[in-house]
Amino acid sequence: MTDDSDAIRREGTGGIYLMLDFDGTLVDLAPTPDGIHIPDRLHGLLAGLHEKLGGRLCLVSGREVAVLEQFLPDFPGDIFGAHGAEARRGGTLSRHPLVGSPMVAQVQDSARNAVAQIPGATLETKDTGAVIHYRAVPEAAAAARAAAQAIAAAATGMEMHTSKMAFEIRPSDASKAGAVHTIVTGHPGTIRPVVIGDDVTDEEAMVVANAAGGFAVRVGDGDTCAAYRLPDPAAVLALLETWLTEETL
C-alpha cells in the first residue's frame, strides 16, 4: 500500500485548513458503528493541532454531530456531521430541515422492514435518515442495494449513497462537498483546504479541495482523485503528530 507521508508532510505548510473524516481515517473501522476504538492520543492530538492551526481544523463525517461529541467530547473545532446535514460551528448547531420529519420516519420504518428480510444485515438510524450495513454478510450487497434504492425512490428529498459495506438514505442536498465548500467560501483566497478521507463519500469533498487550490489524501485503497495516499488511520495519526511539530503550517 502506498504511503506518501513524507510528501504530504512537506505539502502541508502555509495556511492549510484541515478537514478530517472520522471512521476509517482517524479510527479503524469496526464490525458495528459503536464498536470503534478511540486511540488515547487522538484527543490531545486534535486539540493541539486545532490550537496550532488557529482553528483551521474541522471534522467532516457521516456520523451525527451528537455521536462525534460522545466519542470526542473535548474536540474544540467545528463539526460537519451526517454528511453535511448537520453543522456545529462556533458552538452553535444547525440541522437540515428534514431532521425529525415524517419523511425521515418513513425512511427509517422502511429500512427497518427491509433489514428484517436480509439475514445478517443491520440498521443504523440517524436523525437525517438510515443506513443499511452488510459488513457481516458481503454476499447480501445486492439485496441491500436494491432495498436502499427502493426506499430512496419513494422518499421525496432523499437519495441513496454508497459507503463502505453500507448504503445510506439521506437528504439529497446534504454532502461533504457542501461542507468543504462552506469552509472555502468563508475564507476566500486565504486557506489551502486539505481533505483526508477513506471512502467514496469523501471523494466529492476532495474534488472541492483540489479545485480551491488545496489537496486531498485518500486513506486505504480505492479509486481516488487525491494526489496522495496513506495506508491506514495509524499513518494518518503519525502524519498529524508530525505536523504538530512543524514550525509553520
Side-chain angles (χ1 to χ4, degrees):
M1 176 68 67
T2 302
D3 187 336
D4 295 320
S5 295
D6 289 341
I8 301 167
R9 178 184 57 79
R10 292 190 298 269
E11 182 83 58
T13 58
I16 65 169
Y17 196 121
L18 273 178
M19 307 175 200
L20 305 174
D21 179 39
F22 183 67
D23 293 278
T25 298
L26 296 177
V27 299
D28 289 315
L29 296 173
T32 63
D34 294 335
I36 62 168
H37 169 71
I38 307 297
D40 291 338
R41 71 187 195 275
L42 181 58
H43 304 278
L45 177 56
L46 292 177
L49 269 175
H50 185 267
E51 180 178 2
K52 187 180 184 72
L53 289 167
R56 301 191 312 274
L57 169 66
C58 69
L59 302 180
V60 183
S61 172
R63 297 267 195 175
E64 292 174 290
V65 169
V67 174
L68 290 168
E69 289 176 332
Q70 291 176 356
F71 286 125
L72 299 171
D74 300 323
F75 179 67
D78 292 345
I79 301 176
F80 293 85
H83 298 280
E86 297 182 333
R88 187 193 79 183
R89 306 196 68 195
T92 299
L93 180 66
S94 60
R95 311 181 84 190
H96 193 279
L98 283 177
V99 167
S101 69
M103 185 57 63
V104 168
Q106 172 188 311
V107 164
Q108 293 177 345
D109 287 343
S110 297
R112 192 171 292 109
N113 292 334
V115 165
Q117 304 302 314
I118 306 174
T122 59
L123 175 66
E124 177 188 3
T125 58
K126 302 179 180 180
D127 289 347
T128 52
V131 190
I132 298 175
H133 293 270
Y134 60 94
R135 185 173 297 277
V137 281
E139 65 276 13
R145 177 187 289 275
Q149 286 176 329
I151 294 167
T156 302
M158 308 284 281
E159 64 184 16
M160 186 201 80
H161 289 265
T162 301
S163 187
K164 283 188 174 178
M165 309 297 284
F167 298 103
E168 179 167 358
I169 305 98
R170 66 173 190 259
S172 56
D173 57 351
S175 70
K176 292 185 177 182
V180 176
H181 180 72
T182 295
I183 293 292
V184 170
T185 56
H187 300 79
T190 63
I191 62 169
R192 296 178 64 221
V194 178
V195 172
I196 304 180
D198 75 305
D199 205 346
V200 63
T201 58
D202 298 303
E203 289 293 321
E204 58 187 9
M206 293 176 182
V207 170
V208 177
N210 289 338
F215 65 94
V217 180
R218 176 73 180 232
V219 183
D221 55 13
D223 294 337
T224 186
C225 67
Y228 304 106
R229 195 183 292 270
L230 292 173
D232 51 36
V236 175
L237 297 192
L239 170 69
L240 299 182
E241 287 173 331
T242 300
W243 269 344
L244 189 56
T245 66
E246 294 286 337
E247 293 185 5
T248 304
L249 273 182

